[in-house]
Amino acid sequence: MDFDPHPSMSSGGTTAENLTRAQKAAAILVAMGKPAAGRLLKFFAHEELKSLIEAARKLRTIPQSELEKIIAEFEDEFAEGAGLMDSAATMDKILSESLSPEEVSAIMGYGAEVGDTPEPVWPQIEALEAKQVGDFLAGEHPQTAALVLSNLSSTSAANILLAMPKPQRGEAAKRMVSMGSVKPAALRIIENQLRTRLLGDSAKKSSTEGQAKVATVLNEMEKAELDELLADMETAGSADVKAIRAQLFSFEDLPLLSQKARLALFDGLSTEVVTLALRKADNQVTEAVLSALGVRSRRMIESELSMEADNVTQPDIINARRSIAATAIRLAKEGKIELPSTQVAA
């Protein structure tokens, strides 16, 4: 659709005959309302959007009869209205609720600032898994997919194309052949969308990875230290405490394991490690461990615990307990046992 960006109005009032194509398109978009117009705006080229906005600002009252002529000319059906008033303000409202301020500014050339350049998106996209990007682009307009692929390295673009469904990748590749130069303002809009919709999902995945890393660190701490740090995180307003807590397990949590899980945990652990870990342990933990052992192993450990062990140090005890806790965490990741934090309360 070719738009005249400088429409003129006759003094005889607004009629379908004295409106430019850009003004007619703007009038129909306003008549459609925000939801439908907002969806259509995304399919206009950069220069078309700019022409639409400029044309809408020069519109005045459009009688219903003239609006019907415009609609008939475009051969589409629209809901009946009572004429249009203040089209410029209505178009502004549609734009503000359909596009971000940055996108509108990019289209109209407002507020260009030097030195406020965000991190390039293309290296970040290339760092993602090809399937993740391919699945995302498969749901986008083929022209958008072609633009994204054209800005990536040939290796990344090839891997992503292969990860896309055949119909979508064929269409995207076809459009890449005829892809011309894209104006910087339009490219910034695409980049902003990618930051929000594609790289935003990756940030969530990174958050999950970060939670696992923190949980690994906390599992190296004593129970009291671990609880204190979690309390500090909650005080600081961390939203990740619950997810981190679900990945934590300490030696003192053994009584919370089911009997089945304890049997699986201590099956194969050496009696030396178990005996060392039970030194100075409270009665509840000791009984939880001993109840999961065979009769012979239990008697051997009880006999050892009844004797003093002058050569045993506190760090030795701590290391043995951490070893048992680490084994429990590993078995949980392998799906062989269930930690207390993941069990459904009865």
Side-chain angles (χ1 to χ4, degrees), residues 42 98-100 103 121 125 136 140 144 186-200:
K42 299 181 184 298
S98 303
L99 303 174
S100 69
E103 291 171 336
V121 299
I125 292 174
F136 173 82
E140 296 299 306
T144 301
L187 189 60
R188 285 200 301 272
I189 293 176
I190 298 296
E191 290 175 343
N192 288 336
Q193 288 293 320
L194 292 171
R195 285 189 184 94
T196 302
R197 298 173 54 207
L198 177 58
L199 297 176

Short mmCIF file of all heavy atoms in Angstrom, two decimals, residues 42 98-100 103 121 125 136 140 144 186-200:
data_model
loop_
_atom_site.label_atom_id
_atom_site.label_comp_id
_atom_site.label_asym_id
_atom_site.label_seq_id
_atom_site.Cartn_x
_atom_site.Cartn_y
_atom_site.Cartn_z
N LYS A 42 1.15 -4.28 13.56
CA LYS A 42 2.42 -5.00 13.54
C LYS A 42 2.80 -5.48 12.14
O LYS A 42 3.94 -5.88 11.92
CB LYS A 42 2.36 -6.18 14.51
CG LYS A 42 2.12 -5.76 15.94
CD LYS A 42 2.10 -6.94 16.87
CE LYS A 42 1.77 -6.52 18.30
NZ LYS A 42 2.77 -5.59 18.87
N SER A 98 -0.75 -0.49 21.99
CA SER A 98 -0.35 -1.59 21.12
C SER A 98 1.16 -1.71 21.01
O SER A 98 1.69 -2.80 20.86
CB SER A 98 -0.94 -1.40 19.72
OG SER A 98 -2.34 -1.28 19.78
N LEU A 99 1.85 -0.57 21.09
CA LEU A 99 3.30 -0.57 20.96
C LEU A 99 3.91 0.08 22.19
O LEU A 99 3.28 0.89 22.87
CB LEU A 99 3.73 0.22 19.71
CG LEU A 99 3.16 -0.25 18.37
CD1 LEU A 99 3.57 0.71 17.27
CD2 LEU A 99 3.64 -1.65 18.04
N SER A 100 5.16 -0.27 22.47
CA SER A 100 5.85 0.34 23.60
C SER A 100 6.25 1.76 23.24
O SER A 100 6.35 2.12 22.06
CB SER A 100 7.10 -0.48 23.95
OG SER A 100 8.06 -0.34 22.93
N GLU A 103 9.05 1.83 20.85
CA GLU A 103 8.71 1.49 19.48
C GLU A 103 8.09 2.68 18.75
O GLU A 103 8.42 2.96 17.60
CB GLU A 103 7.75 0.29 19.46
CG GLU A 103 8.41 -1.01 19.90
CD GLU A 103 7.42 -2.14 20.08
OE1 GLU A 103 6.23 -1.86 20.32
OE2 GLU A 103 7.84 -3.30 19.99
N VAL A 121 21.71 -7.85 20.79
CA VAL A 121 20.95 -9.09 21.03
C VAL A 121 21.49 -10.27 20.25
O VAL A 121 21.31 -11.42 20.65
CB VAL A 121 19.45 -8.90 20.68
CG1 VAL A 121 18.82 -7.82 21.52
CG2 VAL A 121 19.27 -8.61 19.20
N ILE A 125 21.51 -14.25 21.19
CA ILE A 125 20.65 -15.23 20.53
C ILE A 125 21.49 -16.40 20.02
O ILE A 125 21.09 -17.57 20.11
CB ILE A 125 19.88 -14.57 19.37
CG1 ILE A 125 18.87 -13.56 19.93
CG2 ILE A 125 19.17 -15.61 18.51
CD1 ILE A 125 18.16 -12.74 18.89
N PHE A 136 10.84 -20.60 18.64
CA PHE A 136 10.33 -19.23 18.78
C PHE A 136 10.02 -18.64 17.41
O PHE A 136 8.93 -18.08 17.18
CB PHE A 136 11.36 -18.37 19.51
CG PHE A 136 11.02 -16.91 19.56
CD1 PHE A 136 10.14 -16.41 20.52
CD2 PHE A 136 11.57 -16.02 18.65
CE1 PHE A 136 9.81 -15.07 20.56
CE2 PHE A 136 11.25 -14.67 18.68
CZ PHE A 136 10.37 -14.19 19.64
N GLU A 140 6.55 -16.95 14.67
CA GLU A 140 6.57 -15.55 14.24
C GLU A 140 6.23 -15.43 12.75
O GLU A 140 6.20 -16.42 12.02
CB GLU A 140 7.96 -14.95 14.50
CG GLU A 140 8.35 -14.89 15.97
CD GLU A 140 7.40 -14.03 16.78
OE1 GLU A 140 7.19 -12.86 16.41
OE2 GLU A 140 6.85 -14.54 17.79
N THR A 144 9.69 -11.75 9.82
CA THR A 144 10.43 -11.51 11.07
C THR A 144 11.50 -12.58 11.25
O THR A 144 12.64 -12.27 11.62
CB THR A 144 9.47 -11.52 12.27
OG1 THR A 144 8.48 -10.51 12.09
CG2 THR A 144 10.23 -11.26 13.57
N ALA A 186 13.50 0.46 12.54
CA ALA A 186 12.70 -0.76 12.49
C ALA A 186 13.46 -1.93 13.11
O ALA A 186 12.87 -2.77 13.80
CB ALA A 186 12.34 -1.08 11.04
N LEU A 187 14.78 -1.97 12.89
CA LEU A 187 15.58 -3.05 13.46
C LEU A 187 15.59 -2.97 14.99
O LEU A 187 15.57 -3.99 15.67
CB LEU A 187 17.00 -2.98 12.92
CG LEU A 187 17.91 -4.17 13.25
CD1 LEU A 187 17.33 -5.46 12.69
CD2 LEU A 187 19.31 -3.94 12.69
N ARG A 188 15.61 -1.75 15.53
CA ARG A 188 15.58 -1.59 16.99
C ARG A 188 14.30 -2.13 17.59
O ARG A 188 14.29 -2.70 18.68
CB ARG A 188 15.73 -0.10 17.37
CG ARG A 188 17.15 0.43 17.20
CD ARG A 188 17.34 1.69 18.03
NE ARG A 188 16.41 2.73 17.65
CZ ARG A 188 16.64 3.62 16.69
NH1 ARG A 188 17.77 3.57 15.99
NH2 ARG A 188 15.76 4.56 16.42
N ILE A 189 13.19 -1.99 16.86
CA ILE A 189 11.91 -2.53 17.35
C ILE A 189 11.99 -4.05 17.45
O ILE A 189 11.59 -4.64 18.46
CB ILE A 189 10.76 -2.10 16.41
CG1 ILE A 189 10.54 -0.59 16.48
CG2 ILE A 189 9.48 -2.85 16.77
CD1 ILE A 189 9.51 -0.08 15.52
N ILE A 190 12.53 -4.68 16.41
CA ILE A 190 12.67 -6.14 16.43
C ILE A 190 13.60 -6.56 17.56
O ILE A 190 13.32 -7.53 18.29
CB ILE A 190 13.22 -6.64 15.08
CG1 ILE A 190 12.25 -6.31 13.93
CG2 ILE A 190 13.48 -8.14 15.12
CD1 ILE A 190 10.90 -6.99 14.04
N GLU A 191 14.70 -5.85 17.73
CA GLU A 191 15.66 -6.19 18.79
C GLU A 191 15.01 -6.09 20.16
O GLU A 191 15.23 -6.95 21.03
CB GLU A 191 16.88 -5.28 18.70
CG GLU A 191 17.75 -5.55 17.48
CD GLU A 191 18.87 -4.55 17.36
OE1 GLU A 191 18.80 -3.48 18.01
OE2 GLU A 191 19.83 -4.81 16.60
N ASN A 192 14.21 -5.05 20.38
CA ASN A 192 13.53 -4.89 21.67
C ASN A 192 12.55 -6.02 21.93
O ASN A 192 12.42 -6.51 23.06
CB ASN A 192 12.81 -3.54 21.73
CG ASN A 192 13.77 -2.38 21.86
OD1 ASN A 192 14.89 -2.55 22.34
ND2 ASN A 192 13.35 -1.20 21.43
N GLN A 193 11.85 -6.45 20.87
CA GLN A 193 10.92 -7.57 21.02
C GLN A 193 11.66 -8.86 21.36
O GLN A 193 11.21 -9.66 22.18
CB GLN A 193 10.12 -7.75 19.72
CG GLN A 193 9.08 -6.67 19.47
CD GLN A 193 7.95 -6.70 20.47
OE1 GLN A 193 7.48 -7.77 20.86
NE2 GLN A 193 7.53 -5.53 20.92
N LEU A 194 12.81 -9.05 20.74
CA LEU A 194 13.61 -10.25 21.01
C LEU A 194 14.14 -10.23 22.44
O LEU A 194 14.17 -11.28 23.10
CB LEU A 194 14.79 -10.34 20.03
CG LEU A 194 14.41 -10.62 18.56
CD1 LEU A 194 15.62 -10.45 17.66
CD2 LEU A 194 13.84 -12.03 18.42
N ARG A 195 14.54 -9.08 22.93
CA ARG A 195 15.02 -8.99 24.32
C ARG A 195 13.92 -9.39 25.29
O ARG A 195 14.17 -10.09 26.26
CB ARG A 195 15.47 -7.55 24.62
CG ARG A 195 16.79 -7.17 24.00
CD ARG A 195 17.28 -5.83 24.52
NE ARG A 195 18.52 -5.46 23.85
CZ ARG A 195 18.57 -4.70 22.76
NH1 ARG A 195 17.45 -4.20 22.26
NH2 ARG A 195 19.73 -4.42 22.20
N THR A 196 12.71 -8.93 25.01
CA THR A 196 11.60 -9.17 25.94
C THR A 196 11.06 -10.59 25.82
O THR A 196 10.88 -11.27 26.84
CB THR A 196 10.45 -8.17 25.65
OG1 THR A 196 10.96 -6.84 25.78
CG2 THR A 196 9.31 -8.38 26.63
N ARG A 197 10.84 -11.05 24.60
CA ARG A 197 10.10 -12.29 24.41
C ARG A 197 10.99 -13.53 24.30
O ARG A 197 10.58 -14.61 24.73
CB ARG A 197 9.22 -12.16 23.17
CG ARG A 197 8.18 -11.06 23.28
CD ARG A 197 7.44 -10.85 21.99
NE ARG A 197 6.87 -12.10 21.52
CZ ARG A 197 6.63 -12.37 20.25
NH1 ARG A 197 6.93 -11.48 19.31
NH2 ARG A 197 6.11 -13.52 19.89
N LEU A 198 12.17 -13.40 23.71
CA LEU A 198 13.04 -14.56 23.54
C LEU A 198 14.11 -14.60 24.62
O LEU A 198 14.24 -15.59 25.34
CB LEU A 198 13.69 -14.53 22.16
CG LEU A 198 14.69 -15.67 21.86
CD1 LEU A 198 14.01 -17.02 22.02
CD2 LEU A 198 15.26 -15.52 20.45
N LEU A 199 14.86 -13.52 24.75
CA LEU A 199 15.92 -13.50 25.75
C LEU A 199 15.35 -13.42 27.16
O LEU A 199 16.01 -13.81 28.12
CB LEU A 199 16.87 -12.33 25.49
CG LEU A 199 17.61 -12.41 24.15
CD1 LEU A 199 18.44 -11.16 23.92
CD2 LEU A 199 18.47 -13.65 24.09
N GLY A 200 14.12 -12.91 27.29
CA GLY A 200 13.48 -12.89 28.61
C GLY A 200 13.27 -14.30 29.13
O GLY A 200 13.45 -14.58 30.31
#
